[in-house]
Amino acid sequence: MTTENMWLSAQDGEKIYWAKRCSDPVGVMYEIGEHLDLAWRLKACFSVSPERLLDVGPGPMGTGLLWLFPDARVKVGIDTIPRMTVATGNRYADQLVRAITADSQYIRGSGENLPCEDGTFDAVVCNNVLDHVAHPEKVLSELCRVVRPGGYLGLGLDTNSCLGYLLRKIDRAMRPSLNTYRLHPTDFIIGDIEKFLCAQKFTIRSSNSASFLGRLVGRRRIQFWVAVKNETA
């Protein structure tokens, strides 16, 4: 199966996943609070709220990390899946989603081709997305493009040690229909993101980096990065 076909299959799985989330108050609260480590790291970089915030891949609830800066003048979420209505029967969960999405814009679009001008946003977030896409390097390039010089990019995704990547590659070839592989068509090795950001003239300000041994043989782990776009980029 090609990467493109794997991504299309993953999209079907994502729609089923999100339909369940949007009807379950616990699922809603989990998604809103997912990966608070990245939220803390990004928020610490701003003494005042950014004016323009973009979340690429917030999910069809439309929340993502758009709640992080409520005073941002422009808040935009872009996702490939159509917006879904949240109706859990729990007024606290439902009202919270409505409050977060009331003053933000949701656009159905692709991370490989963001409908935004260069340097549009003060802060760009892409959390738990890059290993779900068919062309992660293109998405990363687009994320970097739309951050203004001096602005920040926050990323979060699962990464593998060198040994873990090799074992996962072998297992993926043997069991390609396994749900975890269907939903994650791309795998990353620890260090891939750092190299890409440096090549794009970003300086990493915060991350939960792995040890040398962890990079070689450690377990699969979620990593977070907050990087600033150099003024001369």
Side-chain angles (χ1 to χ4, degrees), residues 157-173:
L157 76 152
D158 289 310
T159 58
N160 305 274
S161 65
C162 294
L163 177 61
Y165 179 84
L166 177 61
L167 293 176
R168 191 171 169 88
K169 186 174 182 180
I170 294 171
D171 192 48
R172 184 188 289 274

Side-chain angles (χ1 to χ4, degrees), residues 103-118:
D103 59 353
S104 63
Q105 182 181 6
Y106 186 88
I107 299 173
R108 189 180 180 192
S110 167
E112 285 91 344
N113 187 25
L114 295 175
C116 312
E117 298 292 333
D118 294 358

Side-chain angles (χ1 to χ4, degrees), residues 157-162 188-198 204 208-211 214-215 221 223 225:
L157 76 152
D158 289 310
T159 58
N160 305 274
S161 65
C162 294
F188 285 84
I189 299 176
I190 296 171
D192 285 345
I193 296 297
E194 290 91 336
K195 292 176 184 176
F196 189 94
L197 291 175
C198 289
I204 296 173
N208 57 335
S209 57
S211 66
R215 288 172 178 262
R221 65 198 296 267
Q223 284 191 271
W225 304 263

